[in-house]
């Protein structure tokens, strides 16, 4: 988070904006940028990786995603990759919730599934196609 605060402070130095690091576990965002008049301008969530930003990716918690939806273009996700390396890189995505086209549920969702069944015949003995068409 300190890398992003330093970057933003330098980027916004002449604008009169202030950059404030929020307390640990602040709900929804990590950094607040206020304009020269003290009005909230940007809500920033920071995610980090010790290695390259790879296939595993980074995620937003439900409170972070809800705030991103609410604030739209005022919400930005910053990803710092290779955090402990001298060549750490900072990426940012403005309005991340507004840019989501779909959600993907990988195999890890099996543990959160509300149920499961084997393909074939349900316990009633009727074929699945028969059950699906029963209400028609």
């Amino acid at each position: 988070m300190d890398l992003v605060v330093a970057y933003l402070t330098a980027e916004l130095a002449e604008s009169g904006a202030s950059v404030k690091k929020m307390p640990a576990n602040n709900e929804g965002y990590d950094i607040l940028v206020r304009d020269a008049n003290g009005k909230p301008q940007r809500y920033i969530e920071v995610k980090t990786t010790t290695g390259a930003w790879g296939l595993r990716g980074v995620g937003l918690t439900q409170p972070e995603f809800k705030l991103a939806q609410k604030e739209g273009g005022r919400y930005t996700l910053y990803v710092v990759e290779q955090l402990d390396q001298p060549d750490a890189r900072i990426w940012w995505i403005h309005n991340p919730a507004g840019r989501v086209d779909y959600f993907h549920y990988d195999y890890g969702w099996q543990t959160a599934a509300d149920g499961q069944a084997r393909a074939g015949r349900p316990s009633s003995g009727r074929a699945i196609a028969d059950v699906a068409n029963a209400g028609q």
Side-chain angles (χ1 to χ4, degrees):
M1 214 177 330
D2 292 335
L3 288 174
V4 175
V5 168
Y7 171 77
L8 289 169
T9 300
E11 176 190 337
L12 301 170
E14 296 183 23
S15 71
S18 65
V19 179
K20 181 179 181 185
K21 180 177 170 181
M22 303 309 292
N25 299 319
N26 188 62
E27 191 167 282
Y29 63 101
D30 296 316
I31 299 169
L32 178 62
V33 177
R34 293 182 184 272
D35 66 16
N37 297 319
K39 182 179 175 186
Q41 182 181 24
R42 289 164 62 186
Y43 297 86
I44 296 171
E45 177 59 30
V46 178
K47 301 295 181 179
T48 61
T49 66
T50 54
W53 184 13
L55 287 176
R56 183 166 183 241
V58 298
L60 294 177
T61 64
Q62 187 175 31
E64 292 162 354
F65 192 78
K66 282 184 176 184
L67 185 62
Q69 286 178 307
K70 177 183 172 196
E71 295 300 333
R74 296 191 325 160
Y75 194 96
T76 305
L77 170 63
Y78 277 72
V79 179
V80 180
E81 71 172 338
Q82 309 221 11
L83 177 63
D84 298 327
Q85 304 300 317
D87 60 342
R89 186 174 292 181
I90 302 171
W91 303 84
W92 56 89
I93 303 168
H94 296 296
N95 191 13
R99 298 171 73 179
V100 172
D101 293 328
Y102 69 96
F103 292 92
H104 180 82
Y105 298 91
D106 64 18
Y107 71 93
W109 277 86
Q110 290 174 349
T111 60
D114 294 318
Q116 81 172 29
R118 294 260 183 218
R121 296 187 180 272
S123 60
S124 69
R126 294 180 2 200
I128 289 176
D130 295 338
V131 172
N133 294 325
Q136 296 179 358

